[in-house]
Coordinates of all heavy atoms in Angstrom, one line a residue:
M1 N -15.7 -12.5 -34.7 CA -14.9 -13.5 -34.0 C -14.1 -12.7 -32.9 O -13.6 -11.7 -33.1 CB -14.0 -14.2 -35.0 CG -13.1 -15.2 -34.3 SD -12.1 -16.0 -35.6 CE -11.4 -17.2 -34.6
T2 N -14.2 -13.4 -31.7 CA -13.5 -12.8 -30.5 C -12.2 -13.6 -30.2 O -12.2 -14.8 -30.5 CB -14.4 -12.7 -29.3 OG1 -14.7 -14.1 -29.0 CG2 -15.6 -11.9 -29.5
T3 N -11.2 -12.9 -29.8 CA -10.0 -13.6 -29.4 C -10.1 -13.9 -27.9 O -10.5 -13.0 -27.1 CB -8.8 -12.8 -29.8 OG1 -8.8 -11.5 -29.1 CG2 -8.6 -12.6 -31.3
V4 N -9.5 -15.0 -27.5 CA -9.5 -15.4 -26.1 C -8.1 -15.4 -25.6 O -7.2 -16.0 -26.3 CB -10.2 -16.7 -25.9 CG1 -10.1 -17.2 -24.4 CG2 -11.6 -16.8 -26.4
D5 N -7.8 -14.7 -24.5 CA -6.5 -14.7 -23.9 C -6.3 -16.1 -23.3 O -7.0 -16.5 -22.4 CB -6.4 -13.6 -22.8 CG -5.1 -13.6 -22.1 OD1 -4.2 -14.5 -22.4 OD2 -4.9 -12.7 -21.3
P6 N -5.3 -16.9 -23.7 CA -5.1 -18.3 -23.2 C -4.8 -18.3 -21.7 O -5.2 -19.2 -21.0 CB -4.0 -18.8 -24.0 CG -3.4 -17.7 -24.8 CD -4.3 -16.6 -24.8
K7 N -4.1 -17.3 -21.2 CA -3.8 -17.3 -19.8 C -5.1 -17.1 -18.9 O -5.3 -17.7 -17.9 CB -2.8 -16.2 -19.4 CG -1.3 -16.6 -19.9 CD -0.4 -15.5 -19.5 CE 1.0 -15.8 -20.0 NZ 1.9 -14.7 -19.7
R8 N -5.9 -16.2 -19.5 CA -7.2 -15.9 -18.7 C -8.1 -17.1 -18.8 O -8.7 -17.5 -17.7 CB -7.8 -14.7 -19.3 CG -9.2 -14.4 -18.7 CD -9.7 -13.1 -19.1 NE -9.3 -12.1 -18.1 CZ -9.5 -10.9 -18.1 NH1 -10.1 -10.3 -19.2 NH2 -9.2 -10.1 -17.1
S9 N -8.2 -17.7 -19.9 CA -9.1 -18.9 -20.0 C -8.6 -20.1 -19.2 O -9.4 -20.8 -18.6 CB -9.4 -19.3 -21.4 OG -8.2 -19.7 -22.1
A10 N -7.2 -20.3 -19.1 CA -6.7 -21.4 -18.3 C -6.9 -21.1 -16.9 O -7.3 -22.0 -16.1 CB -5.2 -21.4 -18.6
R11 N -6.8 -19.8 -16.4 CA -7.1 -19.5 -15.0 C -8.5 -19.8 -14.7 O -8.8 -20.3 -13.6 CB -6.6 -18.1 -14.8 CG -6.9 -17.7 -13.3 CD -6.4 -16.3 -13.0 NE -7.0 -15.8 -11.8 CZ -6.3 -15.8 -10.6 NH1 -5.2 -16.4 -10.5 NH2 -6.9 -15.4 -9.5
A12 N -9.4 -19.3 -15.6 CA -10.8 -19.6 -15.3 C -11.1 -21.1 -15.2 O -11.9 -21.5 -14.4 CB -11.7 -18.9 -16.4
A13 N -10.5 -21.9 -16.1 CA -10.7 -23.3 -16.0 C -10.2 -23.9 -14.7 O -10.9 -24.7 -14.1 CB -10.1 -24.0 -17.2
D14 N -9.1 -23.4 -14.3 CA -8.5 -23.9 -13.0 C -9.4 -23.5 -11.9 O -9.7 -24.3 -10.9 CB -7.2 -23.3 -12.7 CG -6.1 -23.9 -13.6 OD1 -6.3 -25.0 -14.1 OD2 -5.0 -23.3 -13.6
Q15 N -10.0 -22.3 -11.9 CA -10.9 -21.8 -10.8 C -12.1 -22.7 -10.8 O -12.7 -23.0 -9.7 CB -11.3 -20.4 -11.0 CG -10.2 -19.4 -11.0 CD -9.9 -18.9 -9.6 OE1 -10.8 -18.9 -8.8 NE2 -8.7 -18.5 -9.4
K16 N -12.6 -23.2 -11.9 CA -13.9 -24.0 -12.0 C -13.6 -25.4 -11.4 O -14.4 -26.0 -10.9 CB -14.4 -24.1 -13.4 CG -15.0 -22.8 -13.9 CD -15.5 -23.0 -15.3 CE -15.9 -21.7 -15.9 NZ -16.3 -21.7 -17.3
K17 N -12.3 -25.9 -11.5 CA -12.0 -27.2 -11.2 C -11.7 -27.3 -9.6 O -11.8 -28.4 -9.1 CB -10.7 -27.7 -11.8 CG -10.8 -27.9 -13.3 CD -9.5 -28.4 -13.8 CE -9.5 -28.3 -15.4 NZ -8.1 -28.6 -15.9
M18 N -11.5 -26.2 -9.0 CA -11.2 -26.2 -7.6 C -12.4 -26.7 -6.7 O -13.4 -26.1 -6.7 CB -10.8 -24.9 -7.1 CG -9.4 -24.5 -7.4 SD -8.8 -23.1 -6.4 CE -9.1 -21.8 -7.6
P19 N -12.2 -27.9 -6.0 CA -13.3 -28.3 -5.2 C -13.2 -27.5 -3.8 O -12.3 -27.7 -3.1 CB -13.0 -29.8 -4.9 CG -11.5 -29.9 -5.1 CD -11.1 -28.8 -6.0
L20 N -14.2 -26.7 -3.6 CA -14.3 -25.9 -2.3 C -15.1 -26.8 -1.3 O -16.0 -27.5 -1.7 CB -15.1 -24.7 -2.6 CG -14.5 -23.6 -3.6 CD1 -15.4 -22.4 -3.7 CD2 -13.1 -23.2 -3.1
C21 N -14.6 -26.7 -0.1 CA -15.4 -27.3 1.0 C -16.7 -26.5 1.2 O -16.9 -25.4 0.6 CB -14.6 -27.3 2.3 SG -14.3 -25.7 3.0
T22 N -17.6 -27.1 1.9 CA -18.9 -26.5 2.1 C -18.8 -25.1 2.7 O -19.5 -24.2 2.3 CB -19.8 -27.3 3.0 OG1 -19.9 -28.6 2.4 CG2 -21.2 -26.8 3.2
S23 N -17.9 -25.0 3.7 CA -17.7 -23.6 4.3 C -17.1 -22.6 3.3 O -17.6 -21.4 3.3 CB -16.8 -23.8 5.5 OG -17.4 -24.6 6.5
C24 N -16.2 -23.0 2.5 CA -15.6 -22.0 1.5 C -16.6 -21.7 0.5 O -16.8 -20.5 0.0 CB -14.3 -22.6 0.8 SG -12.8 -22.5 1.8
A25 N -17.5 -22.7 0.1 CA -18.5 -22.4 -0.9 C -19.5 -21.4 -0.4 O -20.1 -20.7 -1.2 CB -19.1 -23.7 -1.4
G26 N -19.6 -21.3 0.9 CA -20.6 -20.4 1.5 C -20.1 -18.9 1.6 O -20.9 -18.1 2.0
I27 N -18.8 -18.7 1.4 CA -18.2 -17.3 1.6 C -18.7 -16.5 0.4 O -18.7 -16.7 -0.8 CB -16.7 -17.3 1.6 CG1 -16.2 -18.0 2.8 CG2 -16.2 -15.9 1.5 CD1 -14.7 -18.2 2.9
Q28 N -19.3 -15.3 0.8 CA -19.8 -14.3 -0.2 C -18.6 -13.5 -0.7 O -17.8 -12.9 0.0 CB -20.8 -13.3 0.4 CG -21.3 -12.4 -0.5 CD -22.4 -11.4 0.1 OE1 -22.6 -11.4 1.3 NE2 -23.0 -10.6 -0.8
R29 N -18.3 -13.7 -2.0 CA -17.2 -13.1 -2.6 C -17.4 -11.6 -3.0 O -18.5 -11.2 -3.2 CB -16.7 -13.8 -3.8 CG -16.3 -15.3 -3.6 CD -15.9 -16.0 -4.8 NE -15.9 -17.4 -4.6 CZ -15.4 -18.2 -5.4 NH1 -14.8 -17.9 -6.5 NH2 -15.4 -19.5 -5.1
N30 N -16.3 -10.8 -3.0 CA -16.4 -9.4 -3.5 C -17.4 -8.6 -2.8 O -18.1 -7.8 -3.4 CB -16.6 -9.5 -5.0 CG -15.5 -10.2 -5.8 OD1 -14.3 -10.0 -5.5 ND2 -15.9 -11.1 -6.7
W31 N -17.5 -8.8 -1.4 CA -18.3 -8.0 -0.7 C -17.6 -7.7 0.7 O -17.4 -8.6 1.5 CB -19.7 -8.6 -0.4 CG -20.7 -7.7 0.1 CD1 -21.1 -7.6 1.3 CD2 -21.4 -6.7 -0.7 NE1 -22.1 -6.6 1.5 CE2 -22.3 -6.0 0.3 CE3 -21.4 -6.3 -2.0 CZ2 -23.1 -5.0 -0.2 CZ3 -22.2 -5.2 -2.4 CH2 -23.0 -4.5 -1.5
R32 N -17.3 -6.4 0.9 CA -16.6 -6.1 2.1 C -17.4 -6.4 3.3 O -18.6 -6.2 3.3 CB -16.2 -4.5 2.0 CG -15.1 -4.2 3.0 CD -14.6 -2.8 2.7 NE -15.5 -1.8 3.3 CZ -15.6 -1.5 4.6 NH1 -14.8 -2.1 5.5 NH2 -16.5 -0.6 5.0
K33 N -16.8 -6.8 4.4 CA -17.4 -7.2 5.6 C -18.0 -8.5 5.6 O -18.6 -9.0 6.6 CB -18.3 -6.1 6.2 CG -17.6 -4.8 6.6 CD -18.5 -3.9 7.3 CE -17.8 -2.6 7.7 NZ -18.6 -1.7 8.4
A34 N -18.1 -9.2 4.5 CA -18.6 -10.6 4.5 C -17.7 -11.5 5.3 O -16.5 -11.4 5.3 CB -18.7 -11.2 3.0
P35 N -18.3 -12.4 6.2 CA -17.4 -13.2 7.0 C -16.8 -14.3 6.3 O -17.3 -14.8 5.3 CB -18.4 -13.8 8.0 CG -19.7 -13.7 7.3 CD -19.7 -12.6 6.4
G36 N -15.6 -14.8 6.8 CA -15.0 -16.0 6.3 C -15.6 -17.2 7.0 O -16.8 -17.3 7.2
H37 N -14.7 -18.1 7.4 CA -15.1 -19.3 8.3 C -14.0 -19.7 9.2 O -12.9 -19.3 9.0 CB -15.7 -20.4 7.4 CG -14.7 -21.1 6.6 ND1 -13.9 -22.1 7.1 CD2 -14.5 -21.0 5.3 CE1 -13.1 -22.6 6.1 NE2 -13.4 -21.9 5.0
A38 N -14.4 -20.5 10.2 CA -13.4 -20.9 11.2 C -12.2 -21.6 10.8 O -11.2 -21.6 11.5 CB -14.2 -21.7 12.3
E39 N -12.1 -22.3 9.7 CA -11.0 -23.0 9.3 C -10.0 -22.3 8.4 O -9.1 -22.9 7.8 CB -11.4 -24.3 8.6 CG -12.1 -25.3 9.6 CD -12.4 -26.6 9.0 OE1 -11.6 -27.5 9.0 OE2 -13.5 -26.7 8.5
L40 N -10.3 -21.0 8.1 CA -9.3 -20.2 7.4 C -8.2 -19.8 8.3 O -8.4 -19.1 9.4 CB -10.1 -18.9 6.8 CG -11.1 -19.2 5.7 CD1 -11.8 -17.9 5.4 CD2 -10.4 -19.8 4.5
V41 N -7.0 -20.0 7.9 CA -5.8 -19.7 8.6 C -5.1 -18.6 8.0 O -4.8 -18.6 6.8 CB -4.9 -20.9 8.8 CG1 -3.6 -20.6 9.5 CG2 -5.6 -22.1 9.4
Q42 N -4.8 -17.5 8.7 CA -4.1 -16.3 8.1 C -2.7 -16.7 7.8 O -1.9 -17.3 8.6 CB -4.2 -15.1 9.2 CG -3.5 -13.9 8.6 CD -3.8 -12.7 9.5 OE1 -4.7 -12.7 10.3 NE2 -2.9 -11.8 9.5
Q43 N -2.3 -16.3 6.6 CA -0.9 -16.6 6.1 C 0.0 -15.3 6.2 O 1.1 -15.3 6.6 CB -1.0 -17.1 4.7 CG -1.8 -18.4 4.5 CD -1.2 -19.6 5.1 OE1 -0.1 -20.0 4.7 NE2 -1.8 -20.2 6.1
S44 N -0.5 -14.2 5.5 CA 0.3 -13.0 5.4 C -0.6 -11.8 5.3 O -1.8 -11.9 4.9 CB 1.3 -13.1 4.3 OG 0.6 -13.2 3.1
T45 N -0.1 -10.6 5.5 CA -0.8 -9.4 5.3 C 0.2 -8.4 4.6 O 1.3 -8.4 4.8 CB -1.2 -8.8 6.6 OG1 -2.1 -9.7 7.3 CG2 -2.0 -7.5 6.5
R46 N -0.4 -7.6 3.7 CA 0.4 -6.6 3.0 C -0.5 -5.3 2.7 O -1.7 -5.5 2.8 CB 1.0 -7.2 1.7 CG -0.1 -7.4 0.6 CD 0.5 -8.1 -0.6 NE -0.5 -8.3 -1.7 CZ -1.3 -9.3 -1.8 NH1 -1.3 -10.2 -0.9 NH2 -2.2 -9.3 -2.8
K47 N 0.2 -4.3 2.5 CA -0.5 -3.1 2.1 C -0.3 -2.8 0.6 O 0.8 -3.0 0.1 CB 0.0 -1.9 2.9 CG -0.4 -1.9 4.3 CD -0.1 -0.5 4.9 CE -0.5 -0.5 6.4 NZ -1.9 -0.3 6.6
E48 N -1.4 -2.4 0.0 CA -1.4 -2.1 -1.5 C -2.0 -0.7 -1.7 O -2.9 -0.3 -0.9 CB -2.1 -3.1 -2.3 CG -1.4 -4.5 -2.4 CD -2.1 -5.4 -3.3 OE1 -3.0 -5.0 -4.0 OE2 -1.7 -6.6 -3.4
E49 N -1.5 0.0 -2.7 CA -2.1 1.4 -3.0 C -3.3 1.2 -3.9 O -3.3 0.4 -4.9 CB -1.0 2.2 -3.7 CG 0.0 2.7 -2.7 CD -0.5 3.6 -1.6 OE1 -1.3 4.5 -1.9 OE2 -0.1 3.4 -0.5
R50 N -4.4 1.9 -3.6 CA -5.6 1.9 -4.4 C -6.1 3.3 -4.5 O -6.5 3.9 -3.5 CB -6.7 1.1 -3.8 CG -6.4 -0.4 -3.6 CD -6.7 -1.1 -5.0 NE -6.7 -2.5 -4.8 CZ -5.7 -3.3 -4.7 NH1 -4.5 -2.8 -4.8 NH2 -5.8 -4.6 -4.5
E51 N -5.9 3.9 -5.7 CA -6.4 5.3 -5.9 C -6.0 6.3 -4.9 O -6.9 7.0 -4.3 CB -8.0 5.2 -6.1 CG -8.4 4.3 -7.3 CD -9.9 4.2 -7.4 OE1 -10.6 4.9 -6.7 OE2 -10.3 3.3 -8.2
G52 N -4.8 6.3 -4.5 CA -4.3 7.3 -3.6 C -4.4 7.0 -2.2 O -4.1 7.8 -1.3
H53 N -4.9 5.8 -1.8 CA -4.9 5.4 -0.4 C -4.4 3.9 -0.3 O -4.5 3.2 -1.3 CB -6.3 5.6 0.2 CG -7.3 4.7 -0.4 ND1 -7.9 5.0 -1.6 CD2 -7.8 3.6 0.1 CE1 -8.8 4.0 -1.8 NE2 -8.7 3.1 -0.9
S54 N -4.0 3.5 0.9 CA -3.5 2.2 1.1 C -4.6 1.3 1.7 O -5.5 1.8 2.4 CB -2.3 2.1 1.9 OG -2.6 2.6 3.2
V55 N -4.6 0.0 1.3 CA -5.6 -1.0 1.7 C -4.8 -2.1 2.2 O -3.7 -2.4 1.8 CB -6.6 -1.4 0.7 CG1 -7.4 -0.2 0.2 CG2 -6.0 -2.1 -0.5
N56 N -5.4 -2.9 3.2 CA -4.8 -4.1 3.7 C -5.3 -5.3 2.9 O -6.5 -5.4 2.7 CB -5.1 -4.3 5.2 CG -4.4 -3.4 6.1 OD1 -3.2 -3.0 5.8 ND2 -5.0 -2.9 7.1
V57 N -4.4 -6.2 2.5 CA -4.8 -7.4 1.8 C -4.2 -8.5 2.6 O -3.0 -8.6 2.8 CB -4.3 -7.4 0.3 CG1 -4.6 -8.8 -0.3 CG2 -4.8 -6.2 -0.4
T58 N -5.1 -9.4 3.1 CA -4.7 -10.5 3.9 C -4.9 -11.8 3.2 O -6.0 -12.0 2.6 CB -5.5 -10.5 5.3 OG1 -5.4 -9.2 5.9 CG2 -4.9 -11.5 6.2
T59 N -3.9 -12.7 3.2 CA -4.0 -14.0 2.6 C -4.3 -15.1 3.6 O -3.7 -15.1 4.7 CB -2.6 -14.3 1.9 OG1 -2.3 -13.3 1.0 CG2 -2.7 -15.7 1.1
Y60 N -5.2 -15.9 3.3 CA -5.6 -17.1 4.1 C -5.6 -18.4 3.3 O -5.7 -18.4 2.1 CB -7.2 -16.9 4.6 CG -7.4 -15.7 5.4 CD1 -7.6 -14.4 4.9 CD2 -7.4 -15.8 6.8 CE1 -7.8 -13.3 5.7 CE2 -7.7 -14.7 7.6 CZ -7.9 -13.5 7.1 OH -8.1 -12.4 7.9
R61 N -5.5 -19.5 4.1 CA -5.6 -20.8 3.5 C -6.6 -21.6 4.3 O -6.5 -21.6 5.5 CB -4.2 -21.5 3.5 CG -4.2 -22.8 2.8 CD -2.8 -23.4 2.7 NE -2.8 -24.7 2.0 CZ -3.1 -25.8 2.6 NH1 -3.6 -25.9 3.8 NH2 -3.1 -27.0 1.9
C62 N -7.5 -22.4 3.6 CA -8.5 -23.2 4.3 C -7.8 -24.5 4.7 O -7.2 -25.2 3.9 CB -9.6 -23.4 3.4 SG -10.9 -24.5 4.1
D63 N -7.9 -24.8 6.0 CA -7.4 -26.1 6.5 C -8.2 -27.3 6.0 O -7.6 -28.4 5.9 CB -7.4 -26.1 8.0 CG -6.1 -25.6 8.6 OD1 -5.1 -25.4 7.9 OD2 -6.1 -25.4 9.9
A64 N -9.4 -27.1 5.6 CA -10.2 -28.2 5.2 C -10.0 -28.6 3.7 O -9.8 -29.8 3.4 CB -11.7 -27.9 5.4
C65 N -9.9 -27.6 2.8 CA -9.8 -28.0 1.4 C -8.6 -27.4 0.7 O -8.3 -27.7 -0.5 CB -11.1 -27.5 0.6 SG -11.3 -25.7 0.6
G66 N -7.8 -26.6 1.4 CA -6.6 -26.0 0.8 C -6.7 -24.8 0.0 O -5.8 -24.3 -0.6
T67 N -7.9 -24.3 -0.2 CA -8.2 -23.1 -1.0 C -7.5 -21.9 -0.4 O -7.5 -21.7 0.8 CB -9.7 -22.9 -1.2 OG1 -10.3 -24.0 -1.8 CG2 -9.9 -21.6 -2.1
K68 N -6.8 -21.1 -1.3 CA -6.2 -19.9 -0.9 C -7.1 -18.7 -1.2 O -7.6 -18.6 -2.3 CB -4.8 -19.7 -1.6 CG -3.8 -20.8 -1.2 CD -2.5 -20.6 -1.9 CE -1.6 -21.8 -1.6 NZ -0.3 -21.7 -2.3
W69 N -7.2 -17.9 -0.2 CA -8.1 -16.8 -0.3 C -7.3 -15.4 0.0 O -6.3 -15.5 0.7 CB -9.2 -16.8 0.7 CG -10.2 -17.9 0.5 CD1 -10.1 -19.2 1.0 CD2 -11.5 -17.8 -0.1 NE1 -11.2 -19.9 0.6 CE2 -12.1 -19.0 -0.1 CE3 -12.1 -16.7 -0.8 CZ2 -13.4 -19.2 -0.6 CZ3 -13.4 -16.9 -1.3 CH2 -14.0 -18.2 -1.2
E70 N -7.8 -14.3 -0.6 CA -7.4 -13.1 -0.1 C -8.6 -12.2 0.3 O -9.6 -12.3 -0.4 CB -6.6 -12.3 -1.3 CG -5.3 -12.8 -1.5 CD -4.4 -11.9 -2.5 OE1 -5.0 -11.0 -3.2 OE2 -3.2 -12.2 -2.6
Y71 N -8.4 -11.5 1.3 CA -9.4 -10.5 1.8 C -8.9 -9.1 1.7 O -7.8 -8.8 2.3 CB -9.9 -10.8 3.2 CG -11.0 -9.9 3.7 CD1 -12.3 -10.1 3.3 CD2 -10.7 -8.7 4.4 CE1 -13.3 -9.3 3.6 CE2 -11.7 -7.9 4.7 CZ -13.0 -8.1 4.4 OH -14.0 -7.3 4.7
E72 N -9.5 -8.3 0.8 CA -9.1 -6.9 0.7 C -10.0 -6.0 1.5 O -11.2 -6.0 1.3 CB -9.2 -6.6 -0.8 CG -8.7 -5.1 -1.1 CD -8.7 -4.8 -2.5 OE1 -8.4 -5.6 -3.4 OE2 -9.1 -3.6 -2.9
N73 N -9.4 -5.3 2.4 CA -10.2 -4.5 3.3 C -10.0 -3.0 2.8 O -9.1 -2.3 3.3 CB -9.8 -4.6 4.8 CG -10.7 -3.9 5.7 OD1 -11.7 -3.4 5.3 ND2 -10.3 -3.8 6.9
D74 N -10.8 -2.6 1.9 CA -10.8 -1.2 1.3 C -12.1 -0.6 1.7 O -13.2 -0.9 1.2 CB -10.7 -1.3 -0.2 CG -10.6 0.0 -0.9 OD1 -10.8 1.1 -0.2 OD2 -10.3 0.1 -2.1
K75 N -12.0 0.4 2.6 CA -13.2 1.1 3.1 C -13.9 1.9 2.2 O -15.1 2.2 2.4 CB -12.9 1.8 4.4 CG -12.4 1.0 5.5 CD -11.9 1.8 6.7 CE -11.5 0.8 7.8 NZ -10.9 1.5 8.9
T76 N -13.3 2.2 1.0 CA -13.9 3.0 0.0 C -14.6 2.2 -1.1 O -15.1 2.7 -2.1 CB -12.9 4.0 -0.6 OG1 -11.9 3.3 -1.3 CG2 -12.3 4.9 0.5
N77 N -14.4 0.9 -1.0 CA -14.9 0.0 -2.1 C -15.8 -1.2 -1.5 O -15.2 -2.1 -1.0 CB -13.8 -0.6 -2.9 CG -14.2 -1.5 -4.0 OD1 -15.4 -1.7 -4.3 ND2 -13.3 -2.1 -4.7
Q78 N -17.1 -1.1 -1.6 CA -17.9 -2.1 -1.0 C -17.8 -3.4 -1.6 O -18.0 -4.5 -1.1 CB -19.4 -1.6 -1.1 CG -20.3 -2.6 -0.4 CD -20.1 -2.8 1.1 OE1 -19.9 -1.8 1.8 NE2 -20.1 -3.9 1.6
K79 N -17.2 -3.4 -2.9 CA -17.1 -4.7 -3.7 C -15.7 -5.3 -3.5 O -15.3 -6.2 -4.2 CB -17.4 -4.5 -5.2 CG -18.9 -4.2 -5.3 CD -19.3 -4.1 -6.7 CE -20.8 -3.9 -6.8 NZ -21.3 -3.8 -8.2
A80 N -14.9 -4.7 -2.6 CA -13.7 -5.4 -2.2 C -14.1 -6.6 -1.4 O -15.2 -7.0 -1.3 CB -12.8 -4.5 -1.4
G81 N -13.2 -7.3 -0.7 CA -13.6 -8.4 0.2 C -12.9 -9.7 -0.2 O -11.7 -9.6 -0.6
W82 N -13.6 -10.8 -0.2 CA -13.0 -12.1 -0.4 C -12.8 -12.5 -1.9 O -13.7 -12.2 -2.7 CB -13.9 -13.2 0.2 CG -13.9 -13.2 1.7 CD1 -14.9 -12.7 2.4 CD2 -12.9 -13.6 2.6 NE1 -14.5 -12.8 3.8 CE2 -13.3 -13.4 3.9 CE3 -11.6 -14.2 2.4 CZ2 -12.6 -13.7 5.0 CZ3 -10.9 -14.5 3.5 CH2 -11.3 -14.3 4.8
S83 N -11.7 -13.1 -2.2 CA -11.5 -13.6 -3.6 C -10.6 -14.9 -3.5 O -9.7 -14.9 -2.7 CB -11.0 -12.6 -4.6 OG -9.8 -12.1 -4.0
V84 N -11.0 -15.9 -4.3 CA -10.1 -17.1 -4.4 C -8.9 -16.8 -5.3 O -9.0 -16.2 -6.3 CB -10.9 -18.2 -5.1 CG1 -10.0 -19.4 -5.3 CG2 -12.1 -18.6 -4.1
V85 N -7.7 -17.2 -4.8 CA -6.5 -16.8 -5.5 C -5.7 -18.1 -5.9 O -4.7 -18.0 -6.5 CB -5.6 -15.9 -4.7 CG1 -6.2 -14.5 -4.7 CG2 -5.2 -16.4 -3.4
G86 N -6.2 -19.3 -5.5 CA -5.5 -20.5 -5.8 C -5.8 -21.6 -4.9 O -6.6 -21.6 -4.0
Q87 N -5.1 -22.8 -5.2 CA -5.2 -23.9 -4.3 C -3.9 -24.7 -4.2 O -3.1 -24.6 -5.1 CB -6.3 -24.9 -4.8 CG -6.6 -25.9 -3.8 CD -7.9 -26.5 -3.9 OE1 -8.6 -26.4 -4.9 NE2 -8.3 -27.2 -2.8

């Protein structure tokens, strides 16, 4: 029997419920240099430390569907990039 973290499963359920617009649904996640789309509006930028170096993390919000995204630009991690962070 496995135990399930209720916070993690609730977040996963919320992520599944989010209706993404067609443009957001087409964004390739977790891949550095993948393009966003024209209706993403930049909200904020911050620097975070990753394994001894700093990376830029930029927050966006889609004008069409309201989805909140973060783009992590880490030149040492090809699997950084776009991720959905809320709505």
Side-chain angles (χ1 to χ4, degrees):
M1 182 176 185
T2 60
T3 59
V4 178
D5 179 359
K7 288 182 182 177
R8 176 171 263 175
S9 60
R11 180 175 166 94
D14 284 344
Q15 296 272 334
K16 289 178 187 175
K17 290 179 195 174
M18 281 196 261
L20 299 178
C21 67
T22 304
S23 297
C24 279
I27 293 176
Q28 183 177 6
R29 298 182 197 189
N30 303 313
W31 195 255
R32 200 172 76 78
K33 293 190 178 180
H37 68 78
E39 293 184 87
L40 291 176
V41 178
Q42 184 174 331
Q43 304 287 298
S44 63
T45 301
R46 67 184 185 277
K47 288 193 181 276
E48 292 186 3
E49 288 297 316
R50 298 278 193 278
E51 299 176 10
H53 65 282
S54 63
V55 300
N56 288 325
V57 179
T58 307
T59 305
Y60 295 85
R61 184 176 182 280
C62 177
D63 267 350
C65 66
T67 301
K68 293 180 184 174
W69 291 86
E70 282 189 349
Y71 183 80
E72 181 178 325
N73 190 9
D74 183 350
K75 295 176 182 175
T76 65
N77 180 5
Q78 185 61 43
K79 293 188 178 180
W82 293 103
S83 58
V84 174
V85 293
Q87 187 157 19

